[in-house]
Amino acid sequence: MSALYGTYARSDLAFERGEGVRLFAQDGTPYLDFHAGVAVNALGHGDPHMVAALKAAAEKVWHTANTFTIPEQERLGQRLVENTFADACFFTNSGTEAVECAVKTARHYFWAKGEKDRYEIIAFTGSFHGRTMGMIAASGNDHYLEGFGPPLEGFKHLAPGDLKAVEAAITPKTCAILIEPVQGEGGVTAMTAEYMRGLRALCDKHGMLLILDEVQCGYGRTGKFFAYEWSGIEPDIMAVAKGIGAGFPLGACLAKGEVAKSMIPGTHGSTYGGNPLASAMGNAVLDRMLAPGFFEHVEKMGQRLNWHLQQLAQRFPSQVLELRGKGLLAGIRIASPVRDVAARLRDEHHMLAMTANENVLRLLPPLVVTEAEIEEAVGKLAAVFEAIEAEAPSKATA
Ligand SMILES: *Cc1c(COP(=O)(O)O)cnc(C)c1O
């Protein structure tokens, strides 16, 4: 019997080592990893540069409090600022803390300007912002809220995609809009560039802040450093995590200087956030990602994945209902129960894939995936669909 909380429906599978896009189970069986620990293992497993960086950092100071200067953190912040819309960063240990910091930053910005009642945030159905009390309220999903008492006040939820509905929901209390440019958990729904530009315009018109949650879709996942780049707009605040440490727990809240400036000593903090060890790993990730050609590779592999999935959709029109997502955050809405398909992929074909809401199979390979590995994965998917159709030929043609 396990000594752990029963919060996860865990498989018995345990992995011992990894190499690139492969994970090796305790009995040595290789698995093709299109799960990447929920979009975290951006550089795959056992990346030599990451391993060397971790060993080097282990020989130095692991941790000091944020009351001292942390040169590795200064450098990581500087590199993020140079490569994004932002002027300032706050480092966290996780995605949910990064979004939490984004919400606190937005509320405090208006409070410091004397607009003390302006704390409401428009967020969206189908979103996922993490599991703290604050962020389950921001997500607004009853499934996560139920049983935990009164939710944090100040979030209004709308279905994404309708700009008129957003404008109608704005009141003098509204301080910001919070959105994932590509909803991950909710069903791999990518917002259009037009919609993102529309949200930016509404924020400008009403003096509100645009907060992006790029915890899952950022850090190269869509083929650009951040997904907002596709729409040509800039947010005021952005939460990032997952790929930022490529497996080392790290997150960050990025903001424009004007917005971050009210976050003075005492307004926020974290014991571990951006400590020397975490920041060294964050810098090692950037060494790899900011190298010439990295994002171009992701964009190209995203296009190849999409092309192969289109072929799959043509071959199995009764199984593949819709292709979703962007780049290497791909969703396939399927006809068969998605949990069964993911379990068959894992148990019969030794491939790891994720699920998302709306019966969507979610593919998030490490960003270093090759086309041969993509073909292998899509071949395994085809084998599963073939077996399903063979078992129920009447259903497949219905
Ligand atoms: C995973 C995720 C979070 C929460 O991140 P944690 O590291 O689990 O706290 C928040 N927002 C989005 C979009 C995510 O995908």
Side-chain angles (χ1 to χ4, degrees):
M1 174 136 160
S2 174
L4 307 178
Y5 265 36
T7 46
Y8 301 101
R10 292 179 198 271
S11 142
D12 290 333
L13 258 183
F15 298 102
E16 212 159 61
R17 65 188 184 88
E19 210 180 298
V21 178
R22 310 270 159 195
L23 272 173
F24 296 87
Q26 282 173 326
D27 67 359
T29 308
Y31 284 75
L32 184 65
D33 186 9
F34 270 52
H35 186 297
V38 198
V40 167
N41 301 108
L43 302 173
H45 303 279
D47 181 87
H49 180 68
M50 295 300 293
V51 173
L54 184 61
K55 285 181 176 164
E59 300 288 339
K60 298 185 189 168
V61 174
W62 289 20
H63 177 82
T64 59
N66 274 301
T67 42
F68 298 97
T69 295
I70 300 174
E72 295 85 351
Q73 187 186 128
E74 299 279 347
R75 178 160 177 256
L76 181 58
Q78 189 58 37
R79 292 169 92 186
L80 286 174
V81 161
E82 277 165 14
N83 288 282
T84 65
F85 74 96
D87 304 303
C89 312
F90 182 93
F91 290 100
T92 68
N93 314 289
S94 69
T96 193
E97 290 169 282
V99 198
E100 186 92 24
C101 178
V103 166
K104 283 183 75 175
T105 302
R107 286 183 168 197
H108 202 261
Y109 168 74
F110 287 101
W111 181 88
K113 288 207 303 175
E115 299 181 54
K116 305 218 153 108
D117 286 332
R118 202 166 176 191
Y119 59 83
E120 272 186 10
I121 293 178
I122 294 176
F124 296 90
T125 55
S127 65
F128 181 77
H129 301 298
R131 297 289 201 153
T132 57
M133 284 303 301
M135 292 308 102
I136 57 176
S139 306
N141 184 331
D142 290 339
H143 183 67
Y144 304 137
L145 284 162
E146 192 180 42
F148 296 105
L152 178 71
E153 199 211 324
F155 296 97
K156 223 184 238 180
H157 295 91
L158 305 172
D162 182 351
L163 287 172
K164 287 211 174 74
V166 175
E167 183 146 38
I170 296 169
T171 73
K173 282 185 161 186
T174 315
C175 75
I177 294 173
L178 166 64
I179 191 162
E180 292 165 81
V182 185
Q183 287 188 339
E185 309 298 315
V188 198
T189 308
M191 304 302 145
T192 64
E194 261 171 291
Y195 183 64
M196 294 302 293
R197 285 194 285 267
L199 293 179
R200 176 72 268 175
L202 283 177
C203 286
D204 293 343
K205 183 174 164 190
H206 295 272
M208 308 182 319
L209 301 176
L210 180 61
I211 307 173
L212 299 183
D213 180 346
E214 293 223 16
V215 168
Q216 188 158 158
C217 64
Y219 253 79
R221 184 69 31 205
T222 67
K224 295 210 184 279
F225 194 11
F226 291 103
Y228 72 79
E229 295 170 41
W230 291 106
S231 55
I233 56 131
E234 289 187 342
D236 300 293
I237 309 175
M238 178 170 73
V240 303
K242 295 203 162 103
I244 190 176
F248 200 95
L250 181 63
C253 176
L254 278 58
K256 292 234 165 98
E258 160 74 8
V259 174
K261 79 171 195 274
S262 89
M263 298 301 278
I264 56 172
T267 54
H268 198 45
S270 169
T271 298
Y272 290 122
N275 79 5
L277 197 49
S279 295
M281 297 315 287
N283 276 310
V285 170
L286 287 186
D287 295 342
R288 297 276 277 104
M289 280 203 193
L290 298 178
F294 188 92
F295 298 130
E296 286 80 357
H297 171 81
V298 179
E299 185 179 356
K300 190 160 164 226
M301 288 305 112
Q303 287 164 356
R304 296 316 295 159
L305 176 59
N306 184 264
W307 186 86
H308 287 287
L309 291 178
Q310 283 177 34
Q311 305 300 303
L312 187 77
Q314 274 171 26
R315 200 170 142 203
F316 300 99
S318 59
Q319 291 296 322
V320 178
L321 305 180
E322 186 190 351
L323 297 181
R324 295 180 173 188
K326 184 121 189 117
L328 292 178
L329 176 47
I332 316 170
R333 195 163 65 81
I334 59 178
S336 303
V338 70
R339 271 172 217 298
D340 294 352
V341 170
R344 279 183 190 235
L345 280 169
R346 184 189 66 212
D347 300 338
E348 295 164 22
H349 300 277
H350 298 160
M351 170 177 157
L352 308 177
M354 274 203 88
T355 60
N357 289 339
E358 303 185 354
N359 210 51
V360 168
L361 190 73
R362 188 166 24 150
L363 303 180
L364 325 122
L367 305 182
V368 295
V369 71
T370 63
E371 184 163 7
E373 288 155 347
I374 287 171
E375 281 172 12
E376 188 185 339
V378 177
K380 288 174 187 292
L381 262 172
V384 169
F385 289 148
E386 219 159 48
I388 290 172
E389 296 205 334
E391 285 159 24
S394 56
K395 249 196 219 160
T397 49

